[in-house]
Amino acid sequence: MFLWFLSWFAFVIQLGFGVLCVAAGLYYLAELVEEYTVIAKKIITLIVWVVAVIHICIWLLEEIPLIVVGTGFLANVVYGLLLKDFPFITLSSGRFLSAVGMLLLSHYLVFQYFTTVYHPFSEILAYFTICLWLVPFTYFVSLSANENVLPTTIPTKHHNERDAVADALSSKTSRRYGVLSIFNFIMRKVGKSVPARTKTT
């Protein structure tokens, strides 16, 4: 009986270590995307194309309805449109809102299909991981990349008002999105509750 309780305690410890490892990996990926935005764009483009080909293969080789696979394929096309301005992603833009809408719609249709038709759990997890989550996850990791990229073009609506570089340098507050903003928020909260060490000379 004691070993049963000990096994659950060990499971909680292992889960905590697993969460810390995933968090460290996400933070590292976000830093890499911020540092190498051109390479990140090429990798995301490749992932979008691979997932699109996988959707076509699923439609040809499996018996999943066309409405489910087609919606996933169209969602992938909308994700690809976000690459036009990468790494600058505006959360209020039509492209981004369309991508979120297609993501929700494809999730709804896939949930509806897999709750009515039996498939092994490994196949369901594979479909969700590769066809639904992979591309949005890469965008989520790269949302904070647009903060550290200097503007090279002037948007047309601000062309007559100010220089783009001056706008970037004079902005007092910057909004952070994505993984790095979450980690920075947690670090600020933890920093307030944990006493700081003072060096003695």
Side-chain angles (χ1 to χ4, degrees):
M1 189 68 174
F2 179 72
L3 276 177
W4 186 81
F5 286 112
L6 194 62
S7 66
W8 276 104
F9 181 67
F11 174 74
V12 170
I13 293 175
Q14 293 162 4
L15 187 65
F17 279 122
V19 169
L20 285 176
C21 290
V22 169
L26 286 176
Y27 190 84
Y28 183 68
L29 282 176
E31 289 285 345
L32 283 178
V33 170
E34 281 191 358
E35 189 71 25
Y36 305 103
T37 54
V38 175
I39 296 173
K41 181 177 181 178
K42 290 179 181 177
I43 292 173
I44 294 174
T45 303
L46 178 65
I47 291 173
V48 167
W49 278 100
V50 168
V51 173
V53 170
I54 289 173
H55 274 98
I56 294 172
C57 291
I58 288 174
W59 177 60
L60 293 174
L61 304 173
E62 295 293 332
E63 296 179 355
I64 298 177
L66 178 61
I67 186 70
V68 175
V69 181
T71 304
F73 183 83
L74 287 176
N76 213 48
V77 170
V78 175
Y79 302 151
L81 294 176
L82 289 173
L83 288 169
K84 184 179 179 184
D85 299 324
F86 187 86
F88 301 103
I89 298 175
T90 307
L91 300 184
S92 59
S93 68
R95 286 186 189 139
F96 183 81
L97 295 176
S98 299
V100 172
M102 291 300 293
L103 177 68
L104 295 175
L105 178 61
S106 59
H107 269 80
Y108 171 75
L109 292 174
V110 170
F111 270 119
Q112 194 176 37
Y113 170 73
F114 281 119
T115 53
T116 56
V117 179
Y118 172 78
H119 283 272
F121 179 72
S122 59
E123 294 180 6
I124 297 172
L125 188 61
Y127 191 92
F128 272 86
T129 303
I130 295 173
C131 297
L132 288 181
W133 295 336
L134 185 60
V135 177
F137 176 75
T138 58
Y139 280 113
F140 175 70
V141 169
S142 62
L143 275 178
S144 58
N146 62 354
E147 303 162 4
N148 295 329
V149 179
L150 288 175
T152 55
T153 59
I154 302 173
T156 53
K157 62 180 181 180
H158 297 300
H159 182 71
N160 296 326
E161 296 175 8
R162 303 187 60 181
D163 183 25
V165 176
D167 283 341
L169 295 177
S170 65
S171 62
K172 300 277 193 265
T173 58
S174 65
R175 294 163 127 191
R176 295 197 71 138
Y177 303 112
V179 176
L180 291 181
S181 64
I182 295 170
F183 287 124
N184 289 334
F185 174 77
I186 292 172
M187 287 169 44
R188 281 195 307 270
K189 292 297 180 184
V190 170
K192 290 178 182 177
S193 61
V194 176
R197 287 190 334 185
T198 56
K199 290 184 178 180
T200 57
T201 55

